[in-house]
């Protein structure tokens, strides 16, 4: 009886090793193909560096009467608090482009 059990275990382990070996090889090849595809895809589109944009702070003026400007790399929708006339004012950066090429920064705390 021990000989039959040993024989069955040997055959079973051989079948198990063969099935798992083939499956493991296929899985490794699929993982390598997916990994190389993802790597090439991520390298194909480099990230865009942040660009400096000029914003016009609406309802503000410099001493000479020109509108105040604010330069930043922050995205639209960001709230900023620049100092104007000795006080901090709350503005929101928008993607609305004005005639002079700058973008509008809308005041949030003006009445």
């Amino acid at each position: 009886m021990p000989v039959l059990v040993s024989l069955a275990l040997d055959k079973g382990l051989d079948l198990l090793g063969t099935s798992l070996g083939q499956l493991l090889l296929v899985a490794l090849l699929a993982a390598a193909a997916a990994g190389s595809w993802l790597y090439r895809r991520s390298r194909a589109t480099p990230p865009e560096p942040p660009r400096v944009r000029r914003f016009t702070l609406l309802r503000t003026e410099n001493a000479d009467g020109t509108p105040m400007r604010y330069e930043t790399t922050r995205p639209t929708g960001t709230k900023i608090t620049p100092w104007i006339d000795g006080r901090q004012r709350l503005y929101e950066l928008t993607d609305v482009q004005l005639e002079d090429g700058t973008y509008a920064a809308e005041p949030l705390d003006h009445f």
Side-chain angles (χ1 to χ4, degrees):
M1 181 90 164
V3 174
L4 291 176
V5 171
S6 177
L7 199 71
L9 285 176
D10 284 343
K11 287 189 177 199
L13 289 176
D14 285 344
L15 290 176
L16 185 65
T18 304
S19 299
L20 285 179
Q22 290 177 352
L23 183 60
L24 184 61
L25 180 62
V26 169
L28 288 175
L29 287 174
S36 66
W37 178 75
L38 286 172
Y39 178 75
R40 280 186 279 131
R41 183 175 172 212
S42 68
R43 299 290 293 172
T45 55
E48 183 178 319
R51 63 176 197 235
V52 175
R53 295 196 315 174
R54 294 185 69 188
F55 290 89
T56 297
L57 304 176
L58 301 179
R59 298 186 192 163
T60 61
E61 290 181 350
N62 288 324
D64 61 355
T66 59
M68 294 185 78
R69 306 274 194 252
Y70 186 83
E71 290 187 357
T72 185
T73 59
R74 295 184 180 183
T76 59
T78 302
K79 293 178 178 50
I80 59 169
T81 55
W83 287 91
I84 299 172
D85 296 331
R87 293 183 0 182
Q88 281 189 310
R89 299 287 187 148
L90 182 63
Y91 286 87
E92 182 175 0
L93 304 179
T94 67
D95 59 353
V96 176
Q97 194 164 16
L98 302 175
E99 299 164 351
D100 61 356
T102 63
Y103 293 90
E106 294 187 20
L108 297 177
D109 61 352
H110 289 186
F111 303 115

